[in-house]
Amino acid sequence: MNSPLDVIVVGGGIAGMACALELAQQQGTRKVRVRIIAKEPVIGSNSYAAQGGMAAVLDPADSMAAHVRDTLTVGEGRNDLRVVRRVVREGPAMVHGLLAMGAVFDRNADGGVALAREGGHTTARVVHRLDRTGAEIVRVLHQHVRASSSISVIDEQAVDLLVDGGACIGVRTRDPRTGRWMDRIAHAVVLATGGTGQVYEHTTNPPGATGDGIAMAVRAGVPLKDMAFVQFHPTALYTDRPGTVFLISEAVRGAGARLLRPDGRPLMEGVHPQGDLAPRNVVARTIARVMLRGHVPNVWLDTSPIGIRRFARDFPSINTHCRELGIMPGRDRIPVMPAAHYLCGGIMTDAQGRTTMKGLYALGECACSGLHGADRLASNSLLEALVIPRHAAARILRARTKHATLTDHHSPDVPVADTVANDDHEAMLHGLRRTMTRHAGILRTTNGLHLALRRIEQAGLRTERAWAKGERAPGLIALRNAVAVSRSIVMAALSEPVSTGTHWIGRM
Ligand SMILES: Cc1cc2nc3c(=O)[nH]c(=O)nc-3n(C[C@H](O)[C@H](O)[C@H](O)COP(=O)(O)OP(=O)(O)OC[C@H]3O[C@@H](n4cnc5c(N)ncnc54)[C@H](O)[C@@H]3O)c2cc1C
């Protein structure tokens, strides 16, 4: 009898869980053993934080062609048309699949799935569950993951890929509770480690969105793509504290809220034909300019067109959060600012999640399948995180992988120091985030990017020296990943001399 096909999925968000479930579902006589390695519980993922919803063509008045067109328009034609068509075509099946698994989405009065409109969409096509759509999808997927006898979850942090003869054969991990290092061996490794928002000062991403998978891929020589394209969400709730900031979903503007300048004038009037619902990069850039020129830390979101009762009904999480801060949504203006939100680029893959390295796949936000191009159409990422894993799973099961002779073992990479100098690493990480925000954020200049690159290289040198001496403190692991991700973003931005999508380069 064949021994089971061993697959390691790094990341327990929607992309990782969807891939694990597809592997379990599609396995035939060749049984699979899927191990999800996740450094945090599911509530720490970007997936869980997703508010607005998932785009899919469900309205008979809508069309696949229109969804494809909107995706290409926002992506400024830098998308891979084949991938766009595939993802859009399979959208309705994904929604029906989730419903069959037990997901609950908001309904219209006639019982049909309710659809919202978001920025860049020419029609209402976003399936949602209040303002907690990600949490709802995570809930059902997690339920099925726990019920599957083929899937287990390991609470560890993946630190590096294990490569042998040019093929990926596993991952090196660290157990945060015991500090134990393991080399975990598999026939196929899937990176689904999510976003990179934490390389910036303000981000809507949770603390775990540090781009680990991308950093691991870079260190292993796996090519990335489109790293210059970092989407900033225009409307994060203003705070002067660095770190994760609370998102005020675009659906709030879809429901009628309007952006105002500090003097109360409408912010998007005359800027773009779609006004407040223009593509995110246009809105974020307009806000950034207003803030820069006026020396103000935020602009305002007037929620009064929605009304208190409707706001509380349709956006319960945002409502609760704002009220805790003394803001009455539906009546008051909410102070907002842009924040790093989504990485359009990532580890380069084909339409089946395959990277250029044998045995290595990448899915979800850490991957660049070509769906988004130079900017992401709102609510396309949850869809991508469900569609591509299905094809990746089929591909992994089809691949004629030779059986690995190695099995899991304690890593020979035993640290000489696991806890030293965390304060120093923290300070360097903060400095790096400030540099990225100032010079590689929404508004970029060539000089600023060169300056950022020099600072990143300085941090990189110190990091590599400490690593070579055998230091393995968690802070150093985080800094090493941040250096790799930041360098990739800055170098990609320098290689894009023309402003496109989220990437704007010019004079301030
Ligand atoms: C506030 C917010 C709102 C959003 N709203 C929407 C929306 O309405 N619609 C939409 O389409 N998209 C939305 N997005 C984007 C979308 O949520 C993400 O792109 C998508 O969920 C990414 O899924 P993922 O599985 O790739 O990554 P994630 O869900 O981030 O999962 C990554 C997983 O990898 C694990 N991990 C990371 N590094 C390691 C490591 N080194 N070792 C082990 N495990 C690791 C993490 O713990 C986590 O389990 C939103 C994002 C945010 C932050």
Side-chain angles (χ1 to χ4, degrees):
M1 203 178 87
N2 271 340
S3 49
L5 185 77
D6 243 315
V7 182
I8 285 178
V9 177
V10 186
I14 288 178
M17 287 197 289
C19 181
L21 287 168
E22 285 292 342
L23 282 162
Q25 232 162 55
Q26 294 180 31
Q27 67 183 314
T29 46
R30 180 80 193 266
K31 294 292 170 211
V32 289
R33 182 172 78 130
V34 187
R35 289 176 294 169
I36 296 179
I37 296 179
K39 67 177 180 180
E40 273 163 1
V42 283
I43 57 166
S45 63
N46 273 1
S47 296
Y48 191 83
Q51 294 180 344
M54 185 169 103
V57 177
L58 294 174
D59 183 347
D62 193 3
S63 70
M64 301 286 173
H67 190 179
V68 167
R69 204 166 43 240
D70 291 349
T71 303
L72 296 178
T73 303
V74 173
E76 302 216 4
R78 294 275 296 246
N79 327 59
D80 181 330
L81 184 57
R82 211 166 60 94
V83 174
V84 176
R85 285 195 177 129
R86 167 177 280 182
V87 172
V88 165
R89 196 173 51 234
E90 296 182 20
M94 292 301 129
V95 176
H96 294 305
L98 287 170
L99 288 169
M101 289 171 89
V104 178
F105 294 125
D106 292 350
R107 300 271 175 177
N108 293 319
D110 65 5
V113 174
L115 300 170
R117 186 168 166 207
E118 290 194 9
H121 290 273
T122 47
T123 187
R125 69 164 71 92
V126 177
V127 176
H128 51 93
R129 174 60 180 159
L130 301 168
D131 56 359
R132 296 192 286 258
T133 312
E136 177 59 13
I137 299 175
V138 164
R139 181 187 69 78
V140 286
L141 295 185
H142 195 221
Q143 206 170 53
H144 284 75
V145 162
R146 275 181 307 184
S148 171
S149 56
S150 305
I151 307 172
S152 59
V153 180
I154 300 173
D155 303 328
E156 289 176 2
Q157 178 175 13
V159 178
D160 272 310
L161 296 174
L162 299 171
V163 180
D164 186 39
C168 184
I169 58 158
V171 286
R172 180 158 291 166
T173 66
R174 179 181 182 275
D175 184 332
R177 289 153 307 183
T178 60
R180 182 185 66 166
W181 287 68
M182 290 292 292
D183 281 0
R184 298 200 174 274
I185 309 299
H187 294 102
V189 172
V190 179
L191 293 173
T193 52
T196 56
Q198 292 290 338
V199 300
Y200 290 94
E201 260 182 325
H202 290 117
T203 176
T204 61
N205 295 188
T210 45
D212 300 6
I214 292 174
M216 287 159 67
V218 170
R219 287 193 291 267
V222 179
L224 310 180
K225 197 177 164 216
D226 289 348
M227 288 294 288
F229 304 120
V230 180
Q231 185 180 80
F232 283 73
H233 199 290
T235 54
L237 183 64
Y238 166 74
T239 171
D240 58 1
R241 280 193 303 273
T244 302
V245 291
F246 189 76
L247 178 70
I248 309 295
S249 165
E250 204 152 69
V252 174
R253 273 174 286 139
R258 301 205 67 192
L259 282 161
L260 303 178
R261 291 169 187 266
D263 63 6
R265 282 183 299 136
L267 188 120
M268 290 304 294
E269 213 163 78
V271 176
H272 192 278
Q274 284 175 282
D276 286 279
L277 290 175
R280 282 183 186 167
N281 71 73
V282 178
V283 183
R285 214 153 37 234
T286 309
I287 295 175
R289 284 211 183 91
V290 167
M291 284 167 48
L292 194 74
R293 286 178 189 157
H295 303 287
V296 289
N298 64 281
V299 295
W300 298 94
L301 188 64
D302 177 15
T303 58
S304 62
I306 301 175
I308 293 171
R309 280 178 58 179
R310 185 174 161 215
F311 199 107
R313 187 194 66 207
D314 291 352
F315 307 109
S317 306
I318 303 172
N319 186 57
T320 306
H321 194 91
C322 288
R323 283 193 185 210
E324 279 167 12
L325 300 171
I327 302 164
M328 177 71 81
R331 183 194 72 189
D332 294 348
R333 294 173 178 183
I334 302 176
V336 291
M337 63 178 184
H341 185 57
Y342 184 83
L343 178 69
C344 303
I347 305 162
M348 187 172 81
T349 72
D350 65 7
Q352 300 173 317
R354 271 190 305 180
T355 71
T356 57
M357 180 178 275
K358 191 163 176 259
L360 182 68
Y361 297 75
L363 298 171
E365 191 167 339
C366 74
C368 180
S369 69
L371 172 67
H372 307 301
D375 196 1
R376 174 191 66 134
L377 179 66
S379 289
N380 263 358
S381 37
L382 292 182
L383 183 58
E384 181 190 30
L386 288 168
V387 172
I388 307 284
R390 171 182 285 191
H391 298 277
R395 179 71 222 180
I396 291 168
L397 291 168
R398 265 202 319 273
R400 290 175 179 274
T401 323
K402 269 202 264 151
H403 199 272
T405 45
L406 274 175
T407 52
D408 286 7
H409 52 273
H410 284 280
S411 171
D413 186 29
V414 181
V416 297
D418 201 356
T419 53
V420 291
N422 263 324
D423 287 352
D424 198 25
H425 301 142
E426 262 303 289
M428 283 174 72
L429 201 51
H430 281 311
L432 206 59
R433 287 177 180 145
R434 257 197 314 276
T435 297
M436 288 298 287
T437 304
R438 211 159 292 168
H439 301 296
I442 304 175
L443 304 173
R444 300 166 174 173
T445 65
T446 306
N447 283 347
L449 288 169
H450 279 297
L451 178 68
L453 193 56
R454 280 199 298 279
R455 291 192 182 152
I456 291 165
E457 295 308 352
Q458 280 162 9
L461 213 61
R462 288 177 65 179
T463 310
E464 285 314 316
R465 271 195 208 124
W467 197 266
K469 279 195 265 169
E471 283 181 33
R472 296 291 185 271
L476 184 65
I477 296 172
L479 186 61
R480 183 171 173 250
N481 287 340
V483 164
V485 172
S486 303
R487 185 192 285 130
S488 306
I489 293 173
V490 170
M491 287 180 55
L494 279 167
S495 72
E496 295 275 348
V498 177
S499 300
T500 322
T502 65
H503 170 68
W504 184 92
I505 188 149
R507 287 172 186 275
M508 292 289 190

